[in-house]
Amino acid sequence: MPKPFHVHVVSHTHWDREWYLPFQKYRHRLVQMMDSLLDLLEKKPSFKYFVMDGQTVVLEDYLEIRPGNRKRLQRAIENRRLFAGPWYVLPDEFLVSGESLVRNLLRGHRISGEFGHSMQVGYVPDPFGHINQLPQILNGFNIDNFIFTRGIGNEADRLGTEFYWETPDGSRVLAIHQYEGYCHGGSWGYPEIWMPEFPGNPSTDLAVQRLQKTLEVAEARSHTTEVLFNNGCDHLYAQPEIPEIIERVQKQLPTVSIEHSHLEKYIQDLKKSVKDLPRYQGEFRGGKTQFLLSGVLSTRIYLKQANHRAQTLLENEVEPLSVLLSTFFGIDYPGAFLDQAWKLVLLNHPHDSICGCSVDLVHKEMEPRFDQALEIGEWLLFEGMSKAAETLPLGQHSPSRTLLVANTLPWPRRVTVKKIVELPPEFDGKPLKLVSPSGEEIPTIEFWRKRIKGAGPHSIDFLSRIRTFAAQETFVFGLLDSFKDFLVEDSEKPAANLAALQMTLDLPALGFQAVCLKTGEAQTLPESKLASGNTMENEFIRVTVHPNGTFDLLHKPSNRSWNGLNLLEDQEDVGDEYDFSPSANPDSRWVSSSNGTIKILENSPLAARIQVNFDFTVPARIESDRQTRSKEVVSLPVQTIFSIERDSDLVKIETTLRNQAKDHRVRVRFPTGIQAEEVVVDVHFDVIRRSIHLPNGDDWVQKPVPTQNQRNFVAVESPDSGLAVFNQGLPEYEAIPEKNGITLALTLFRSVEWLSRNDLLTRNNDAGPRLFTPDAQCRRKLTFRYAVKPYSGPWQTANLLH
């Protein structure tokens, strides 16, 4: 006997703020849609509800053009006719930080709250999979439910369409999997879902057939009689004849109860109807029922790197520093500026934006947003530290001879700091040493000193605003090369001094360290330097660099060694912005030549750097048949710099190349020599163990692929040792099982030129419109920063999170 189904017809639109059109063109359609929607809600009371896609940025976007409609909009939301929130934007969860998801929900709640109501539904209809800690994040906002479409794998058959999704801390949401997607009731009664406008003559027979198909799915997969029927799709207007269609279909299906509803009502009724449901823990990275589109992890990698820089600056530096400055120095917390910086970052987090799967103009407009967020954050750092330094007690030292160093992380750190500082004239010709306020001498190296014109309104005043030593040095030598009168050669003339310093500091957790610059003979550091020839070494590790950019590593505490780390790999990519795809004739290349040049850039008792320059010759493009790579080749000039510090077992790596080829993927490989069935992966608010074995996926809409996501590191370990690869803004890795153990492959970038194609080996159809996107080839100068750490014991005791 058929179940007595209760159908919730939920009218909605899924609004991609920018995708195959740039924002301003989509906004024009948004304004037209919202104008007609407000008219419909006001003039037709029988059209009861409309859901605005779970996000609130659309309200801001609309009111910038129609500010006079704010009261109408607020009235519709207060009266529970129009539903917005809880998000600010609908993000890709894997490509943004956990903290940014929290800020996203905070901003969404704040905006929707200003309009009278925030929809308390964890609605994420389209993002490409879901992180395992999302229930805990949603619970933090008193949201106990979750509605999703993509990401489910073989667990779908056990779980059905309703289940409890739990996290290790006990957080739980009632999860609803939209088996048919979020468009199955779009343009209800019409032969096509994608109806930009409704002519007003829907077919009752077609409407009945469409609903019956959904009821068949519910009969087979649902644990309840409550059925969600989504009347909408991407960028669709409200369908005004819904009340009449419901009435006519109700007559045709008298055993089914049908009402015009909304998501909160659906969740409320669903909770009443379910008792025992299956339970699930873990992430959703499957493609059983919908495309997962995991290639977006490495599409337009420069956007992922810019996002990483912006998030790290705000989360780990500016915000904690601002709290410390307010607490210890009484400096006002710059809340409004930080809010603006976060808004700029969040505007780049919609899934079609940060994923890099939109038209070129969309992504060109993203870069200035990231740049502006960085500008705000960096100025707040400079201004805050400047104000704090001005409050330091002078004692026997003037402010110009005291450095203030902040540690914004919640654990003590021993760090090697390099900085160029301006010294007053009384230091001229005198030796320099650094001491703590208690008088303890700090290990210091002075690289060089330059006598320059004395203090005054000149460009050197900008030196303290430059964050990195390399950028400072470029700035100083640029001035000295371009303005010959800037350097004071005559020792008799008064002059200030620029000193390039390197120091090792022990910084307190969430605190400050003052460093006093004094004249006098410095304590002599050990004569031994860390680099010799092509080798760098400290008490923990020995690194031997080769001309092809690889290196060998010895971990002294465990006496374990690795060879051939950091091998550059190039492979064809005939995919699109959504997915990597090999060709029918796979062709991978590796850097195996030894014609590179090796040079020691820095060598002291505190730190060392070795640079390798070489050319990587690869095919220029894919042939027009997209089956083979071209015989024409191009050279990718590569520069890799390896760095170590005296007191660290971390090997830092910076690889810069100019991409002059097309249609390819570049990765670096790290053969770990460790046999394992799983890897350790840093993810959002968690560290998980992920199997290296893929599900079969024969009945999946999109078969699983071996590349996976990470946040800050992935590691392979045996019971007694391990090797971790860290990254800055490089979210994709692959764990490759080989004869001698697992090789970790870190994706540097993918190079493609189509938004979507239908001829991939990794996907059987289009994922979007077939639009030409040449900027996705990433033919630009690219710099990648990552690191390798050997360790003993399990990852927890190796302190990988720090």
Side-chain angles (χ1 to χ4, degrees):
M1 181 177 178
K3 295 178 182 178
F5 286 116
H6 177 204
V7 177
H8 297 257
V9 178
V10 175
S11 297
H12 77 100
T13 190
H14 172 56
W15 204 268
D16 297 299
R17 191 171 185 264
E18 49 191 19
W19 179 25
Y20 59 79
L21 292 175
F23 163 63
Q24 294 295 352
K25 292 182 178 180
Y26 266 138
R27 175 153 71 174
H28 193 272
R29 180 172 174 82
L30 172 69
V31 170
Q32 293 177 327
M33 186 276 289
M34 292 290 286
D35 284 347
S36 66
L37 173 63
L38 291 175
D39 288 343
L40 176 64
L41 291 172
E42 292 168 355
K43 295 177 181 178
K44 190 171 185 177
S46 61
F47 188 96
K48 297 180 181 179
Y49 312 111
F50 193 80
V51 174
M52 202 59 224
D53 201 30
Q55 54 184 323
T56 55
V57 69
V58 288
L59 306 181
E60 289 184 337
D61 293 341
Y62 175 68
L63 290 176
E64 284 179 356
I65 305 300
R66 294 279 193 267
N69 280 348
R70 184 179 182 89
K71 289 185 178 180
R72 296 177 67 197
L73 196 59
Q74 184 165 344
R75 184 164 56 245
I77 293 173
E78 285 179 339
N79 293 334
R80 307 297 199 272
R81 303 282 306 285
L82 178 62
F83 291 84
W87 299 93
Y88 181 54
V89 301
L90 288 180
D92 180 272
E93 297 162 31
F94 291 100
L95 287 171
V96 304
S97 69
E99 180 64 25
S100 75
L101 294 173
V102 174
R103 301 310 176 97
N104 194 332
L105 284 163
L106 277 170
R107 190 174 186 88
H109 275 74
R110 187 178 73 201
I111 293 172
S112 53
E114 291 171 356
F115 284 89
H117 179 65
S118 179
M119 184 176 74
Q120 289 301 94
V121 178
Y123 185 57
V124 279
D126 199 31
F128 309 152
H130 304 282
I131 62 171
N132 65 320
Q133 288 286 55
L134 188 59
Q136 186 174 7
I137 296 173
L138 292 173
N139 282 183
F141 289 85
N142 296 318
I143 297 173
D144 62 1
N145 59 84
F146 167 67
I147 301 177
F148 73 110
T149 304
R150 301 184 194 267
I152 205 159
N154 287 334
E155 62 274 5
D157 296 330
R158 177 180 69 85
L159 296 174
T161 49
E162 305 87 22
F163 56 93
Y164 290 118
W165 184 22
E166 301 175 334
T167 56
D169 76 315
S171 299
R172 186 174 83 170
V173 292
L174 172 59
I176 299 96
H177 174 228
Q178 301 184 113
Y179 183 83
E180 293 185 281
Y182 56 84
C183 297
H184 58 291
S187 304
W188 196 20
Y190 293 98
E192 300 289 339
I193 288 177
W194 303 94
M195 298 286 292
E197 296 178 4
F198 303 103
N201 190 27
S203 163
T204 301
D205 289 342
L206 288 177
V208 169
Q209 292 172 22
R210 179 63 276 229
L211 181 56
Q212 284 178 325
K213 182 178 178 182
T214 293
L215 295 178
E216 290 171 4
V217 171
E219 184 76 38
R221 309 190 71 86
S222 178
H223 301 284
T224 174
T225 56
E226 302 296 327
V227 177
L228 176 59
F229 189 67
N230 293 298
N231 169 232
C233 201
D234 298 1
H235 309 110
L236 289 192
Y237 287 28
Q239 189 176 346
E241 62 269 17
I242 284 301
E244 291 76 21
I245 297 176
I246 290 175
E247 184 177 352
R248 296 200 298 267
V249 173
Q250 181 71 82
K251 291 178 181 179
Q252 294 284 334
L253 302 174
T255 62
V256 179
S257 173
I258 310 171
E259 71 167 308
H260 198 205
S261 186
H262 54 85
L263 293 180
E264 288 185 335
K265 175 69 161 54
Y266 165 68
I267 294 293
Q268 177 184 337
D269 290 354
L270 180 61
K271 289 177 180 178
K272 296 176 183 177
S273 73
V274 297
K275 295 182 180 178
D276 295 325
L277 288 175
R279 299 169 185 269
Y280 179 78
Q281 279 196 7
E283 58 192 352
F284 286 107
R285 291 288 299 165
K288 185 178 179 69
T289 63
Q290 301 280 340
F291 291 151
L292 182 64
L293 311 175
S294 59
V296 298
L297 293 173
S298 49
T299 302
R300 300 183 191 259
I301 199 68
Y302 58 91
L303 296 175
K304 281 68 169 175
Q305 293 175 295
N307 183 58
H308 173 84
R309 288 192 296 271
Q311 289 177 159
T312 302
L313 178 67
L314 296 177
E315 296 171 22
N316 293 357
E317 299 177 74
V318 183
E319 289 192 327
L321 178 68
S322 297
V323 172
L324 294 173
L325 292 174
S326 175
T327 302
F328 294 112
F329 294 91
I331 296 171
D332 289 343
Y333 186 83
F337 283 107
L338 285 166
D339 186 63
Q340 179 64 19
W342 268 112
K343 176 180 178 177
L344 290 164
V345 173
L346 292 175
L347 286 175
N348 283 342
H349 283 183
H351 50 284
D352 293 304
S353 303
I354 193 59
C355 287
C357 54
S358 298
V359 294
D360 286 343
L361 185 55
V362 165
H363 302 301
K364 287 179 180 175
E365 292 174 348
M366 289 175 64
E367 291 186 83
R369 291 184 204 132
F370 281 133
D371 289 342
Q372 290 177 58
L374 289 169
E375 289 170 16
I376 294 171
E378 289 176 352
W379 186 260
L380 291 177
L381 282 183
F382 166 74
E383 184 180 55
M385 288 295 281
S386 297
K387 289 180 178 179
E390 290 171 1
T391 69
L392 292 176
L394 298 184
Q396 58 180 318
H397 308 294
S398 68
S400 63
R401 286 177 286 169
T402 302
L403 303 178
L404 184 65
V405 185
N407 175 20
T408 58
L409 295 179
W411 52 83
R413 304 168 65 196
R414 172 168 287 187
V415 297
T416 298
V417 177
K418 292 165 66 177
K419 208 73 176 172
I420 300 175
V421 298
E422 184 176 0
L423 303 174
E426 56 264 31
F427 277 74
D428 197 9
K430 297 177 182 177
L432 172 71
K433 65 178 181 179
L434 275 65
V435 298
S436 68
S438 63
E440 181 182 357
E441 189 163 344
I442 295 169
T444 306
I445 293 172
E446 183 176 336
F447 292 123
W448 50 257
R449 196 183 298 193
K450 305 288 184 183
R451 301 179 77 249
I452 61 167
K453 286 186 175 180
H458 49 56
S459 297
I460 209 66
D461 294 339
F462 289 89
L463 185 65
S464 60
R465 305 176 192 178
I466 301 173
R467 297 192 63 200
T468 69
F469 177 82
Q472 279 191 314
E473 204 165 46
T474 299
F475 174 74
V476 168
F477 287 126
L479 285 174
L480 295 176
D481 289 342
S482 299
F483 301 96
K484 302 304 180 184
D485 61 341
F486 198 71
L487 199 62
V488 178
E489 302 287 357
D490 188 349
S491 60
E492 299 300 320
K493 293 182 179 179
N497 292 265
L498 293 182
L501 305 177
Q502 182 180 61
M503 65 202 83
T504 296
L505 300 173
D506 288 307
L507 302 178
L510 289 170
F512 299 90
Q513 171 71 62
V515 178
C516 305
L517 283 67
K518 300 180 67 176
T519 57
E521 292 295 332
Q523 190 179 77
T524 304
L525 287 169
E527 287 294 327
S528 59
K529 296 182 178 181
L530 301 185
S532 176
N534 65 333
T535 299
M536 299 182 293
E537 186 170 4
N538 60 25
E539 66 175 293
F540 306 106
I541 55 176
R542 183 170 68 236
V543 177
T544 304
V545 177
H546 302 297
N548 66 344
T550 64
F551 69 98
D552 302 333
L553 175 62
L554 171 66
H555 184 226
K556 295 180 180 180
S558 66
N559 198 34
R560 180 146 194 174
S561 62
W562 292 267
N563 297 324
L565 300 177
N566 199 55
L567 176 65
L568 212 57
E569 171 198 76
D570 181 83
Q571 181 183 2
E572 84 284 352
D573 188 346
V574 296
D576 55 21
E577 290 188 325
Y578 292 104
D579 281 300
F580 165 81
S581 179
S583 69
N585 301 287
D587 181 1
S588 295
R589 311 289 176 97
W590 292 270
V591 177
S592 57
S593 63
S594 57
N595 60 352
T597 60
I598 298 177
K599 177 183 179 182
I600 295 177
L601 294 183
E602 177 184 340
N603 192 11
S604 79
L606 298 181
R609 290 185 298 147
I610 291 181
Q611 174 182 293
V612 184
N613 287 76
F614 58 93
D615 288 331
F616 189 12
T617 302
V618 302
R621 66 187 66 84
I622 199 75
E623 293 287 11
S624 58
D625 63 2
R626 303 187 71 77
Q627 301 297 305
T628 57
R629 305 186 78 176
S630 68
K631 293 181 180 179
E632 180 188 352
V633 297
V634 296
S635 176
L636 309 183
V638 182
Q639 178 187 91
T640 298
I641 299 174
F642 302 92
S643 307
I644 69 169
E645 296 176 3
R646 182 186 67 175
D647 301 311
S648 173
D649 56 7
L650 198 68
V651 183
K652 297 180 182 179
I653 307 165
E654 180 181 282
T655 294
T656 300
L657 63 81
R658 181 166 292 281
N659 178 34
Q660 302 181 106
K662 300 168 65 175
D663 314 316
H664 66 135
R665 178 179 71 179
V666 175
R667 307 194 293 183
V668 281
R669 295 167 67 102
F670 300 90
T672 69
I674 299 173
Q675 300 286 357
E677 296 297 307
E678 57 190 12
V679 293
V680 177
V681 188
D682 175 57
V683 294
H684 299 67
F685 301 125
D686 202 358
V687 176
I688 63 173
R689 293 187 179 273
R690 187 180 282 151
S691 173
I692 65 170
H693 304 294
L694 299 176
N696 179 274
D698 282 344
D699 61 344
W700 289 22
V701 171
Q702 186 175 20
K703 283 195 171 187
V705 297
T707 48
Q708 298 286 349
N709 72 286
Q710 62 178 339
R711 290 299 302 151
N712 296 304
F713 68 82
V714 59
V716 184
E717 61 184 28
S718 64
D720 59 349
S721 64
L723 190 73
V725 178
F726 295 84
N727 77 90
Q728 291 187 349
L730 305 174
E732 183 179 275
Y733 78 91
E734 180 181 352
I736 306 169
E738 297 184 316
K739 181 180 179 180
N740 295 325
I742 292 176
T743 291
L744 293 176
L746 177 67
T747 304
L748 299 185
F749 69 95
R750 293 176 57 230
S751 178
V752 294
E753 64 182 13
W754 289 93
L755 193 154
S756 178
R757 297 184 65 93
N758 69 342
D759 56 356
L760 279 61
L761 296 181
T762 51
R763 199 183 66 236
N764 61 15
N765 209 335
D766 284 302
R770 298 174 198 171
L771 296 174
F772 186 54
T773 55
D775 284 359
Q777 292 283 11
C778 297
R779 300 185 73 184
R780 55 169 72 189
K781 183 180 178 181
L782 299 164
T783 297
F784 311 98
R785 295 181 178 90
Y786 47 100
V788 175
K789 175 185 171 70
Y791 60 94
S792 301
W795 69 267
Q796 293 94 331
T797 59
N799 219 21
L800 296 190
L801 287 175
H802 287 188

